[in-house]
Short mmCIF file of all heavy atoms in Angstrom, two decimals:
data_model
loop_
_atom_site.label_atom_id
_atom_site.label_comp_id
_atom_site.label_asym_id
_atom_site.label_seq_id
_atom_site.Cartn_x
_atom_site.Cartn_y
_atom_site.Cartn_z
N THR A 206 108.28 -85.86 -45.56
CA THR A 206 109.32 -84.86 -45.42
C THR A 206 110.36 -85.04 -46.53
O THR A 206 110.75 -86.17 -46.85
CB THR A 206 110.01 -84.98 -44.06
OG1 THR A 206 109.03 -84.93 -43.02
CG2 THR A 206 111.03 -83.86 -43.86
N TRP A 207 110.82 -83.95 -47.09
CA TRP A 207 111.85 -83.97 -48.13
C TRP A 207 113.09 -84.70 -47.60
O TRP A 207 113.60 -84.36 -46.54
CB TRP A 207 112.19 -82.54 -48.51
CG TRP A 207 113.08 -82.38 -49.70
CD1 TRP A 207 112.74 -82.51 -51.02
CD2 TRP A 207 114.46 -82.00 -49.69
NE1 TRP A 207 113.81 -82.26 -51.83
CE2 TRP A 207 114.89 -81.93 -51.03
CE3 TRP A 207 115.37 -81.70 -48.68
CZ2 TRP A 207 116.19 -81.59 -51.39
CZ3 TRP A 207 116.68 -81.37 -49.03
CH2 TRP A 207 117.08 -81.31 -50.37
N GLY A 208 113.49 -85.74 -48.31
CA GLY A 208 114.65 -86.51 -47.91
C GLY A 208 114.34 -87.82 -47.23
O GLY A 208 115.23 -88.67 -47.09
N LEU A 209 113.09 -88.04 -46.81
CA LEU A 209 112.76 -89.28 -46.10
C LEU A 209 112.84 -90.49 -47.02
O LEU A 209 113.30 -91.57 -46.62
CB LEU A 209 111.37 -89.19 -45.48
CG LEU A 209 110.90 -90.44 -44.73
CD1 LEU A 209 111.82 -90.76 -43.55
CD2 LEU A 209 109.46 -90.28 -44.25
N ILE A 210 112.38 -90.36 -48.27
CA ILE A 210 112.34 -91.48 -49.21
C ILE A 210 113.17 -91.13 -50.44
O ILE A 210 113.04 -90.04 -51.01
CB ILE A 210 110.89 -91.79 -49.64
CG1 ILE A 210 110.01 -92.08 -48.43
CG2 ILE A 210 110.86 -92.97 -50.61
CD1 ILE A 210 108.54 -92.25 -48.77
N SER A 211 114.00 -92.07 -50.87
CA SER A 211 114.82 -91.84 -52.05
C SER A 211 113.97 -91.64 -53.30
O SER A 211 113.03 -92.40 -53.56
CB SER A 211 115.76 -93.04 -52.28
OG SER A 211 116.41 -92.92 -53.53
N ARG A 212 114.33 -90.63 -54.08
CA ARG A 212 113.63 -90.35 -55.34
C ARG A 212 114.38 -90.91 -56.53
O ARG A 212 113.95 -90.71 -57.68
CB ARG A 212 113.47 -88.83 -55.49
CG ARG A 212 112.72 -88.19 -54.34
CD ARG A 212 112.90 -86.68 -54.32
NE ARG A 212 114.30 -86.30 -54.09
CZ ARG A 212 114.72 -85.03 -54.06
NH1 ARG A 212 113.86 -84.05 -54.22
NH2 ARG A 212 116.00 -84.76 -53.86
N SER A 213 115.48 -91.58 -56.30
CA SER A 213 116.25 -92.17 -57.40
C SER A 213 115.36 -93.12 -58.21
O SER A 213 114.52 -93.83 -57.66
CB SER A 213 117.45 -92.94 -56.86
OG SER A 213 118.34 -92.07 -56.20
N GLY A 214 115.57 -93.14 -59.51
CA GLY A 214 114.79 -94.03 -60.37
C GLY A 214 113.38 -93.57 -60.62
O GLY A 214 112.55 -94.34 -61.10
N VAL A 215 113.09 -92.30 -60.33
CA VAL A 215 111.79 -91.71 -60.63
C VAL A 215 112.03 -90.51 -61.55
O VAL A 215 112.94 -89.71 -61.29
CB VAL A 215 111.07 -91.26 -59.34
CG1 VAL A 215 109.75 -90.58 -59.66
CG2 VAL A 215 110.85 -92.44 -58.41
N ILE A 216 111.26 -90.39 -62.62
CA ILE A 216 111.45 -89.26 -63.54
C ILE A 216 111.36 -87.96 -62.75
O ILE A 216 110.35 -87.70 -62.11
CB ILE A 216 110.42 -89.28 -64.67
CG1 ILE A 216 110.56 -90.55 -65.51
CG2 ILE A 216 110.58 -88.05 -65.56
CD1 ILE A 216 109.53 -90.69 -66.62
N PRO A 217 112.41 -87.14 -62.78
CA PRO A 217 112.44 -85.97 -61.90
C PRO A 217 111.82 -84.72 -62.53
O PRO A 217 111.71 -84.61 -63.75
CB PRO A 217 113.94 -85.76 -61.70
CG PRO A 217 114.53 -86.19 -63.02
CD PRO A 217 113.68 -87.34 -63.50
N VAL A 218 111.43 -83.80 -61.66
CA VAL A 218 111.00 -82.47 -62.07
C VAL A 218 111.84 -81.42 -61.35
O VAL A 218 112.41 -80.52 -61.95
CB VAL A 218 109.50 -82.23 -61.78
CG1 VAL A 218 109.10 -80.81 -62.15
CG2 VAL A 218 108.64 -83.23 -62.55
N SER A 219 111.94 -81.57 -60.02
CA SER A 219 112.61 -80.55 -59.21
C SER A 219 113.36 -81.19 -58.05
O SER A 219 112.76 -81.89 -57.24
CB SER A 219 111.57 -79.55 -58.67
OG SER A 219 112.13 -78.71 -57.68
N TYR A 220 114.65 -80.91 -57.96
CA TYR A 220 115.44 -81.39 -56.83
C TYR A 220 114.89 -80.83 -55.53
O TYR A 220 114.78 -81.54 -54.52
CB TYR A 220 116.90 -80.97 -57.00
CG TYR A 220 117.77 -81.28 -55.79
CD1 TYR A 220 118.28 -82.55 -55.59
CD2 TYR A 220 118.05 -80.29 -54.85
CE1 TYR A 220 119.06 -82.85 -54.48
CE2 TYR A 220 118.84 -80.57 -53.74
CZ TYR A 220 119.34 -81.84 -53.56
OH TYR A 220 120.10 -82.12 -52.45
N THR A 221 114.51 -79.55 -55.53
CA THR A 221 114.07 -78.87 -54.33
C THR A 221 112.69 -79.31 -53.86
O THR A 221 112.42 -79.35 -52.67
CB THR A 221 114.07 -77.34 -54.57
OG1 THR A 221 115.38 -76.92 -54.94
CG2 THR A 221 113.61 -76.57 -53.34
N GLN A 222 111.82 -79.68 -54.79
CA GLN A 222 110.40 -79.85 -54.46
C GLN A 222 109.89 -81.28 -54.59
O GLN A 222 108.85 -81.61 -54.02
CB GLN A 222 109.57 -78.91 -55.35
CG GLN A 222 109.88 -77.45 -55.12
CD GLN A 222 109.17 -76.50 -56.08
OE1 GLN A 222 109.68 -75.44 -56.41
NE2 GLN A 222 107.99 -76.86 -56.54
N ASP A 223 110.57 -82.15 -55.31
CA ASP A 223 110.06 -83.51 -55.54
C ASP A 223 110.06 -84.35 -54.26
O ASP A 223 111.03 -84.34 -53.50
CB ASP A 223 110.91 -84.24 -56.57
CG ASP A 223 110.66 -83.80 -57.99
OD1 ASP A 223 109.72 -83.03 -58.22
OD2 ASP A 223 111.43 -84.23 -58.88
N THR A 224 108.98 -85.10 -54.06
CA THR A 224 108.93 -86.19 -53.09
C THR A 224 108.09 -87.31 -53.68
O THR A 224 107.41 -87.12 -54.69
CB THR A 224 108.29 -85.77 -51.75
OG1 THR A 224 106.98 -85.23 -52.01
CG2 THR A 224 109.12 -84.73 -51.02
N ILE A 225 108.11 -88.49 -53.06
CA ILE A 225 107.28 -89.60 -53.51
C ILE A 225 106.61 -90.23 -52.30
O ILE A 225 107.09 -90.10 -51.17
CB ILE A 225 108.10 -90.66 -54.28
CG1 ILE A 225 109.08 -91.39 -53.36
CG2 ILE A 225 108.84 -90.02 -55.45
CD1 ILE A 225 109.82 -92.54 -54.04
N GLY A 226 105.46 -90.88 -52.53
CA GLY A 226 104.74 -91.48 -51.41
C GLY A 226 103.52 -92.26 -51.86
O GLY A 226 103.28 -92.44 -53.06
N PRO A 227 102.71 -92.73 -50.90
CA PRO A 227 101.56 -93.60 -51.20
C PRO A 227 100.22 -92.87 -51.21
O PRO A 227 100.04 -91.82 -50.59
CB PRO A 227 101.59 -94.60 -50.04
CG PRO A 227 102.11 -93.79 -48.88
CD PRO A 227 103.05 -92.75 -49.46
N ILE A 228 99.27 -93.48 -51.94
CA ILE A 228 97.86 -93.08 -51.95
C ILE A 228 97.04 -94.34 -51.67
O ILE A 228 97.27 -95.39 -52.29
CB ILE A 228 97.45 -92.50 -53.31
CG1 ILE A 228 98.27 -91.26 -53.65
CG2 ILE A 228 95.96 -92.18 -53.34
CD1 ILE A 228 97.97 -90.69 -55.04
N ALA A 229 96.07 -94.25 -50.74
CA ALA A 229 95.30 -95.43 -50.36
C ALA A 229 93.92 -95.04 -49.88
O ALA A 229 93.59 -93.86 -49.75
CB ALA A 229 96.05 -96.23 -49.29
N ARG A 230 93.10 -96.06 -49.59
CA ARG A 230 91.73 -95.83 -49.14
C ARG A 230 91.61 -95.74 -47.63
O ARG A 230 90.52 -95.50 -47.11
CB ARG A 230 90.82 -96.94 -49.67
CG ARG A 230 90.60 -96.88 -51.18
CD ARG A 230 89.61 -97.93 -51.64
NE ARG A 230 90.14 -99.29 -51.48
CZ ARG A 230 90.82 -99.94 -52.41
NH1 ARG A 230 91.08 -99.37 -53.57
NH2 ARG A 230 91.26 -101.17 -52.18
N SER A 231 92.73 -95.93 -46.91
CA SER A 231 92.68 -95.81 -45.45
C SER A 231 94.00 -95.25 -44.95
O SER A 231 95.05 -95.39 -45.59
CB SER A 231 92.43 -97.18 -44.80
OG SER A 231 93.58 -98.01 -44.91
N VAL A 232 93.96 -94.64 -43.78
CA VAL A 232 95.17 -94.09 -43.18
C VAL A 232 96.14 -95.21 -42.84
O VAL A 232 97.36 -95.09 -43.04
CB VAL A 232 94.83 -93.28 -41.91
CG1 VAL A 232 96.10 -92.82 -41.21
CG2 VAL A 232 93.97 -92.07 -42.27
N LYS A 233 95.63 -96.32 -42.34
CA LYS A 233 96.52 -97.42 -41.95
C LYS A 233 97.31 -97.94 -43.14
O LYS A 233 98.51 -98.24 -43.04
CB LYS A 233 95.74 -98.55 -41.28
CG LYS A 233 96.67 -99.63 -40.72
CD LYS A 233 95.91 -100.71 -39.97
CE LYS A 233 96.89 -101.75 -39.40
NZ LYS A 233 96.18 -102.86 -38.72
#
Side-chain angles (χ1 to χ4, degrees):
T206 305
W207 188 76
L209 179 61
I210 303 174
S211 171
R212 302 165 296 178
S213 296
V215 177
I216 298 177
V218 177
S219 168
Y220 173 82
T221 302
Q222 298 174 211
D223 284 352
T224 56
I225 68 174
I228 300 176
R230 290 184 292 269
S231 72
V232 174
K233 187 176 181 183

